[in-house]
Amino acid sequence: MARLFCSECKAQLMHLGSRERVSPVPELFGTNKVPSSTEADAIKRCLVDDENELQYLESILPKLTARRDHLKSLADGHRALLSPARRLFPELLSEIFARCPKGDPSRHPRTSIEGPDSFNPHNGPLLLTQISRSWRQTAIATPELWSTIRFTFGLHSKLNLVNLWLERSGDCDLTIAILDSDAVPESQSQPCNIEYRRAIATDGG
């Protein structure tokens, strides 16, 4: 007989036969033959045994599922500890981050302007700050990663994020795209390159 026990509390989770259950009347499958009284009794006993085992399996399934999820999470955590990315020096990681996309590549819905959506949490700087504590620290300390700012007037305020980008960009030259929420000709809404952040920040009060 095969038994399955919980590795923590040693409680028995399953008690299964060493062999797979089989039908007592396999010769009747695929035919129109009516079971004899003896065969009918065997089928009824088989149904009872099947139902009992099904009920038992359903009762322990939540425990097995929870155990599986726990082991998977534990394995994923240990696998991450062996990741080659953990061996990168912060200086090298910063160089890699500086060459990453500055946001989600997208086209402004009301103009033909294309450029990275800087504040997209699923791409660019904000994504890199969500991977791990060390990646977040390295990303924040990489000014080039925060040197592109794109925001749209009239939709919702991005002032806090703009200030955050300016703070983290250090002395890097900036690429800033300021778009109007209303439809405007492309020639009137081009991204502009700003070389001196300090002067721009001062003009904005």
Side-chain angles (χ1 to χ4, degrees), residues 46 59 79 86 97 116 122 134 137 143 171 174-175 195:
C46 181
S59 69
R79 194 174 292 112
R86 296 178 65 91
F97 284 175
H122 306 297
S134 61
Q137 293 173 345
D171 295 326
L174 301 179
T175 299
E195 293 186 357

Side-chain angles (χ1 to χ4, degrees), residues 30 48 56 59 68 79 81-82 90-91 95 101 121-122 144 147 151 154 165 167 172 177 196:
V48 171
Y56 179 69
S59 69
R68 179 204 62 190
R79 194 174 292 112
L81 294 177
L82 300 177
E91 295 80 7
E95 287 291 329
H122 306 297
E144 295 85 354
S147 62
F151 60 97
W165 254 246
E167 178 183 345
C172 287
Y196 300 103

Side-chain angles (χ1 to χ4, degrees), residues 21 43-59:
R21 293 181 59 83
I43 292 173
K44 292 177 182 178
R45 289 194 298 270
C46 181
L47 286 173
V48 171
D49 292 341
D50 289 346
E51 288 297 328
N52 289 337
E53 186 165 341
L54 283 172
Q55 291 179 7
Y56 179 69
L57 291 174
E58 290 175 355
S59 69

Side-chain angles (χ1 to χ4, degrees), residues 71-155:
L71 290 175
K72 186 178 184 301
S73 176
L74 194 62
D76 290 344
H78 283 103
R79 194 174 292 112
L81 294 177
L82 300 177
S83 171
R86 296 178 65 91
R87 303 188 185 97
L88 292 176
F89 291 108
E91 295 80 7
L92 179 57
L93 193 59
S94 180
E95 287 291 329
I96 296 174
F97 284 175
R99 288 163 173 75
C100 288
K102 303 303 187 294
D104 180 34
S106 60
R107 179 187 294 272
H108 188 261
R110 300 186 181 181
T111 72
S112 60
I113 293 177
E114 294 183 353
D117 181 0
S118 312
F119 307 137
N120 189 321
H122 306 297
N123 203 315
L126 291 180
L127 173 63
L128 295 176
T129 62
Q130 301 174 56
I131 305 302
S132 67
R133 182 179 302 175
S134 61
W135 277 40
R136 174 180 174 81
Q137 293 173 345
T138 301
I140 292 176
T142 305
E144 295 85 354
L145 193 59
W146 310 90
S147 62
T148 296
I149 304 174
R150 166 183 157 172
F151 60 97
T152 304
F153 284 124
L155 295 180

Side-chain angles (χ1 to χ4, degrees), residues 12 17 23 25 30 35 64 66 72 93 106 109 121 143 153 165 168 176 180 190 194:
Q12 181 174 317
S23 171
V25 288
L64 293 176
K72 186 178 184 301
L93 193 59
S106 60
F153 284 124
W165 254 246
R168 293 179 178 177
I176 300 180
D180 193 341
Q190 291 287 353
I194 308 296

